Amino acid sequence: MDSQWKRFWETGLFPSLEFSLSLSIGYVLSLFFYVAGSELSLIDRTDTAYPILQALIAIFFAAGFIYRKYKQNFPFTFSLALLTLAIGQVIWLLLGNTSEFLIDYIFSFELVLIGGILSAFSVGIYGGSLRDFRFLSFTLGVTVFTFYSLFEPNQNYSIKILLAILYILLSFYFFSTLFQQNPISSKFYKIRSKIGKHPLFSPFYRSSLSLLIAYCILHLYFQPGPKIPLILSISFSVTFGRVLSLLGGLKKETKAVFLIGRVALLFAFFFFIYQSYWSSFYIALCIIGGTIVGFFKPNKTPYKEYMMIGMETAIYLGLSFLLYFWNLPMGIRTFTALLFVPVLVYPYLLQKHIIRMPRILMLAGAILIVIFFFSPPTIRTNSPFSKKENFDPIPFAITNLNFNEEKYIFYKSVLPFPSNPFLPKRSEIKDKIVVLGLSSNQSQIISYIERLSEENHPFLIITTRNKTNQFHHINALSLLSRKSYWNFDIYYPNYLSQKINFAPTLPNDWKLKYFHEKLDNASFQEVVNHLDSVLKYSSGDLRKDAIEIKHLYYESFAAYAKFYHNIGQNKLSLDAIAYARKFESPKPDLLRIAFNSLKFTTPEAEYIPIIEDLSIDSEFQEFAWNSLIPMFESLGDWNNALKTMGLLEKYYRTNNQIEQANELELARVRLYINQENWKEVEPIISTRLRENPNSVIWERLKNEIIEKKDSLRRISIRPDAKEARIQ
């Protein structure tokens, strides 16, 4: 290569390629994590596989980063091996049978584990080689993506495609290392600023970086959801701080820069301390922390320094989670929070070049911030249970499938059985029939059933015909067999040997066809009305079949009631019982569930029929009558209120609970007086006065009746007053 081409390569072509490569990798890597956040949320993170994958990825990324950062000579054979592996990864990703990365994780975890290790090591090697020139272009790529994602939130990309693009970009980097171990551009674009070399500025970089990393981890833990504002604020502020450090004028103002660094670090510490939910002012904290990191970044950082940053980050996290999980008095919590201060100012206090007074002021300022502004993180509460998303009962008992058996495993199913919140993995579905719901994550489920079909694994998909919960990708199920029931459908593969039909207690003749035409797509009340009509006007087999259908409906909704009661959803359990009792009188087990659920539920008028069912059983009578009386009074149903009071009073007197009976009798008398029912109330008062002549209460009630009757008599004599009273 002649000198002109060499000069062009060194000063123009190669730096431009390097800039484009770093910009592209920053953009693609951000897009990868953005898409991965939603897709990998369907993975069960409570088992050992996912933490192992995370740990290995972190370890190999660190290994690649440290190797490249402190190993200047990049062996030719090593670079060639990485290039070969990258090309192999691209081929495997592009030729994979499934488009969803999640499906490969579930069915081919070993390959995903190997691919994740190689990916982390390769990205770590690239990250360890970053210099100012490449770093600025990399963060610019992150910033460009985050700006773009704010306007285009729906990123319909496959993680496998993003990984393939990332490997192609890394292949260019590994290919360049085959010809040049130390990039020539570094000779022209190594920016050696005075700020990056000054020993007084290194504490700001270390303290702000550990504070920023700790906060980001806490924010990810406490605030689930999109992280675009977090990524954008950090990437933009780090880039801005790094560019700001290159300005020639600032290099001469050492004292001013030193003072700005102290103030900025204290401001960042203030925003970190004032985090009641690790969300307040988080944009300000990220911008200040990122700017300090970018501005004060040293030109060279020993690996021991990064170890200290890791230790400080761990202390920040440990203290934060301690204050979060340990419910201490406020004074003790504030005293514990003071332990944040030495972690923050420790690198600053060790600097021998700094005189004593600034160090004391820094320490005092951090202590005062904790004392006056510390706000302990609030204990999180679970989001309220959504009835709309979960309560969609179907009469599943009319099928001939016994879902109670252990051979079934459920994922977000509409059936009343414990359901897996994550897509079941290969080890979990062995020798089992998978029952899937289609309420959410439909694209992932479609890929999941495609993989199940390839392996001839039995599965069922149950969908309701509720207009508010329809499946929009019905064409994806066109290759499956379908059996239609009343208000729901079951899809199953052709190779499923078990016959999908109606319950064996129902005949497969014209009578069932008659019911099918009447009950299909009917509301539950319409089903009840039709079956009652059949029982009233029909006889023989048709009547027998109607009785059986009512029983199957009852069994279905009773199963829902038991399921919701077991998971503590008492409101939904009562709703299911309200459906079940329309078909049959509740059995003792269902009455017990109703009793337990009503004790933890606010009484509602719609539950009066259920409480009346409880009043028939002697075990629940007292509770039922005590619950019905205030409900009847609030509805203005005085007759039922008085009737129930009489029954409860009689119950108390039979069981020698005289005090409760007397109190209830007084309440009943008071209700009679309010209704001006003298015929009922006067005999009661006369009887009680004969039994207790000295009773003040009954004497007062007697006088009250006399006064009211006199008042009514006077009004009857004055028609104008009576008319005014009526109005």
Side-chain angles (χ1 to χ4, degrees):
M1 182 181 295
D2 57 28
S3 58
Q4 291 182 349
W5 279 107
K6 183 177 181 181
R7 191 177 302 112
F8 174 71
W9 173 270
E10 293 176 351
T11 60
L13 177 61
F14 193 80
S16 299
L17 292 175
E18 221 173 3
F19 179 86
S20 302
L21 185 63
S22 295
L23 183 68
S24 302
I25 290 179
Y27 185 92
V28 173
L29 203 59
S30 302
L31 180 58
F32 169 78
F33 283 108
Y34 181 76
V35 178
S38 59
E39 187 169 331
L40 297 184
S41 63
L42 301 178
I43 292 176
D44 184 2
R45 305 186 182 190
T46 60
D47 63 352
T48 57
Y50 191 77
I52 289 174
L53 177 62
Q54 287 181 308
L56 290 176
I57 287 177
I59 291 171
F60 276 85
F61 173 83
F65 183 89
I66 294 172
Y67 176 83
R68 184 53 178 152
K69 187 170 183 64
Y70 299 103
K71 181 77 172 178
Q72 299 299 324
N73 295 324
F74 207 52
F76 179 88
T77 54
F78 190 59
S79 180
L80 183 61
L82 290 175
L83 177 61
T84 305
L85 288 173
I87 296 173
Q89 284 281 83
V90 171
I91 296 174
W92 176 69
L93 290 167
L94 296 179
L95 297 182
N97 293 325
T98 57
S99 59
E100 301 288 345
F101 184 81
L102 173 67
I103 306 305
D104 286 333
Y105 175 87
I106 293 174
F107 291 96
S108 307
F109 178 76
E110 295 78 9
L111 292 175
V112 171
L113 184 64
I114 296 173
I117 290 173
L118 293 175
S119 303
F121 188 71
S122 300
V123 175
I125 284 179
Y126 180 78
S129 68
L130 291 178
R131 298 292 186 269
D132 276 339
F133 177 78
R134 287 191 294 269
F135 174 76
L136 291 176
S137 58
F138 179 84
T139 54
L140 183 60
V142 176
T143 307
V144 168
F145 164 74
T146 48
F147 267 117
Y148 171 73
S149 62
L150 292 176
F151 301 100
E152 288 290 338
N154 297 321
Q155 305 287 349
N156 297 320
Y157 297 102
S158 168
I159 295 184
K160 296 180 69 174
I161 299 299
L162 292 174
L163 271 177
I165 297 174
L166 183 62
Y167 271 110
I168 292 172
L169 296 174
L170 289 173
S171 299
F172 285 116
Y173 170 73
F174 294 137
F175 183 77
S176 67
T177 60
L178 293 174
F179 299 95
Q180 187 145 359
Q181 296 175 0
N182 294 318
I184 301 174
S185 63
S186 63
K187 293 191 299 184
F188 298 91
Y189 291 94
K190 273 188 178 179
I191 302 170
R192 300 294 185 183
S193 64
K194 181 180 179 181
I195 293 173
K197 294 188 231 180
H198 205 296
L200 294 179
F201 296 150
S202 58
F204 298 123
Y205 170 75
R206 175 172 152 184
S207 295
S208 59
L209 182 59
S210 58
L211 194 70
L212 185 62
I213 294 174
Y215 171 73
C216 288
I217 296 173
L218 291 169
H219 185 80
L220 292 174
Y221 178 81
F222 285 97
Q223 295 290 320
K227 304 302 176 190
I228 292 302
L230 184 74
I231 299 172
L232 177 60
S233 58
I234 294 176
S235 62
F236 179 79
S237 58
V238 170
T239 307
F240 176 77
R242 198 69 192 127
V243 172
L244 197 64
S245 69
L246 307 178
L247 299 179
L250 290 175
K251 299 175 185 178
K252 302 176 183 178
E253 302 294 337
T254 304
K255 292 183 179 180
V257 171
F258 184 76
L259 179 62
I260 291 172
R262 285 166 46 195
V263 174
L265 187 59
L266 285 176
F267 264 103
F269 186 62
F270 162 76
F271 288 124
F272 181 82
I273 287 296
Y274 200 73
Q275 294 292 320
S276 59
Y277 197 59
W278 303 111
S279 59
S280 307
F281 309 114
Y282 76 97
I283 293 295
L285 173 59
C286 292
I287 291 176
I288 294 176
T291 304
I292 296 174
V293 169
F295 187 82
F296 290 104
K297 181 181 181 298
N299 293 331
K300 289 185 178 181
T301 306
Y303 71 92
K304 293 182 180 179
E305 195 75 7
Y306 286 113
M307 293 178 62
M308 295 302 298
I309 290 173
M311 292 177 60
E312 292 168 10
T313 302
I315 295 174
Y316 280 129
L317 294 175
L319 288 173
S320 300
F321 284 114
L322 177 68
L323 292 169
Y324 170 73
F325 287 110
W326 199 359
N327 194 11
L328 296 171
M330 187 61 189
I332 300 177
R333 300 182 82 171
T334 304
F335 180 78
T336 306
L338 286 173
L339 297 176
F340 284 117
V341 175
V343 183
L344 177 78
V345 300
Y346 175 74
Y348 189 81
L349 295 175
L350 288 182
Q351 287 292 324
K352 298 179 181 179
H353 306 283
I354 304 174
I355 58 177
R356 182 178 300 174
M357 184 56 65
R359 285 187 283 180
I360 295 175
L361 291 176
M362 186 77 172
L363 180 64
I367 292 174
L368 291 175
I369 285 174
V370 174
I371 294 175
F372 289 108
F373 300 105
F374 171 65
S375 178
T378 306
I379 300 298
R380 290 185 301 174
T381 57
N382 294 327
S383 59
F385 185 79
S386 174
K387 175 179 175 179
K388 180 179 178 182
E389 295 179 359
N390 293 270
F391 192 63
D392 192 12
I394 60 174
F396 67 93
I398 64 176
T399 68
N400 64 351
L401 302 173
N402 186 11
F403 293 107
N404 282 315
E405 297 178 357
E406 294 184 357
K407 66 179 180 179
Y408 291 95
I409 184 170
F410 302 89
Y411 169 74
K412 292 189 176 180
S413 173
V414 296
L415 298 178
F417 302 101
S419 186
N420 196 331
F422 307 99
L423 282 170
K425 293 187 291 189
R426 182 191 294 273
S427 58
E428 297 173 334
I429 65 175
K430 185 178 181 181
D431 300 327
K432 292 187 177 182
I433 299 175
V434 184
V435 181
L436 301 169
L438 293 173
S439 59
S440 60
N441 308 118
Q442 295 170 359
S443 61
Q444 285 82 9
I445 294 176
I446 291 172
S447 299
Y448 189 80
I449 63 176
E450 288 176 353
R451 185 62 177 265
L452 291 175
S453 300
E454 292 175 5
E455 299 184 0
N456 286 341
H457 192 94
F459 65 90
L460 302 173
I461 299 176
I462 300 179
T463 61
T464 65
R465 292 193 219 122
N466 189 339
K467 293 181 180 180
T468 61
N469 186 25
Q470 292 193 354
F471 181 53
H472 300 291
H473 301 279
I474 201 69
N475 293 331
L477 304 179
S478 58
L479 299 179
L480 300 176
S481 300
R482 183 181 71 171
K483 180 65 180 179
S484 296
Y485 294 90
W486 303 321
N487 285 29
F488 68 99
D489 300 309
I490 295 183
Y491 293 86
Y492 57 96
N494 297 326
Y495 55 80
L496 189 61
S497 57
Q498 186 169 2
K499 189 177 182 181
I500 309 294
N501 212 321
F502 283 94
T505 54
L506 295 174
N508 291 317
D509 55 11
W510 66 270
K511 293 189 291 298
L512 184 59
K513 182 180 179 182
Y514 167 79
F515 284 109
H516 187 79
E517 293 174 350
K518 300 293 183 180
L519 304 183
D520 196 23
N521 294 323
S523 65
F524 294 129
Q525 189 58 50
E526 291 172 344
V527 172
V528 172
N529 295 338
H530 180 73
L531 293 175
D532 289 342
S533 177
V534 171
L535 293 174
K536 184 176 181 181
Y537 299 108
S538 302
S539 61
D541 291 341
L542 201 61
R543 178 182 175 86
K544 179 182 177 182
D545 294 342
I547 294 174
E548 181 62 28
I549 291 172
K550 290 191 72 173
H551 175 70
L552 293 174
Y553 267 83
Y554 171 84
E555 290 295 331
S556 299
F557 298 133
Y560 278 100
K562 295 173 185 176
F563 171 72
Y564 289 129
H565 177 258
N566 290 336
I567 64 175
Q569 298 299 333
N570 300 301
K571 177 71 169 60
L572 294 180
S573 178
L574 292 170
D575 290 342
I577 294 174
Y579 279 122
R581 69 175 304 278
K582 293 180 180 180
F583 296 92
E584 283 186 11
S585 298
K587 294 180 174 57
D589 59 338
L590 214 57
L591 290 177
R592 171 63 62 180
I593 292 174
F595 171 71
N596 292 331
S597 299
L598 284 167
K599 289 192 297 184
F600 302 100
T601 308
T602 303
E604 297 181 12
E606 60 187 280
Y607 298 146
I608 288 179
I610 300 176
I611 303 175
E612 290 176 337
D613 291 335
L614 288 174
S615 66
I616 300 174
D617 193 311
S618 59
E619 182 182 357
F620 311 116
Q621 280 180 341
E622 181 183 1
F623 170 81
W625 287 330
N626 273 312
S627 302
L628 285 172
I629 291 171
M631 296 178 73
F632 285 138
E633 288 180 342
S634 64
L635 295 173
D637 190 352
W638 311 118
N639 292 332
N640 278 322
L642 289 167
K643 179 182 176 182
T644 308
M645 283 181 177
L647 293 171
L648 184 57
E649 182 185 348
K650 182 179 179 181
Y651 172 85
Y652 283 145
R653 296 195 186 280
T654 304
N655 291 275
N656 293 322
Q657 296 175 299
I658 304 302
E659 185 177 350
Q660 291 89 332
N662 291 337
E663 291 178 359
L664 193 61
E665 186 180 43
L666 286 172
R668 185 159 58 95
V669 167
R670 178 63 63 186
L671 192 57
Y672 278 133
I673 293 174
N674 293 337
Q675 290 185 287
E676 300 175 0
N677 190 343
W678 318 124
K679 181 180 178 181
E680 297 288 344
V681 71
E682 286 181 336
I684 297 175
I685 295 177
S686 299
T687 303
R688 295 293 174 253
L689 279 174
R690 285 195 300 270
E691 295 174 354
N692 303 288
N694 299 323
S695 174
V696 177
I697 296 176
W698 292 109
E699 185 67 29
R700 185 181 301 168
L701 289 172
K702 177 184 175 181
N703 295 332
E704 184 178 343
I705 291 175
I706 293 173
E707 292 176 0
K708 281 203 170 188
K709 292 178 74 173
D710 289 341
S711 176
L712 291 173
R713 191 178 301 111
R714 287 193 299 270
I715 292 174
S716 64
I717 297 173
R718 298 171 53 192
D720 54 339
K722 182 178 181 180
E723 182 180 357
R725 180 174 176 268
I726 294 173
Q727 290 177 353

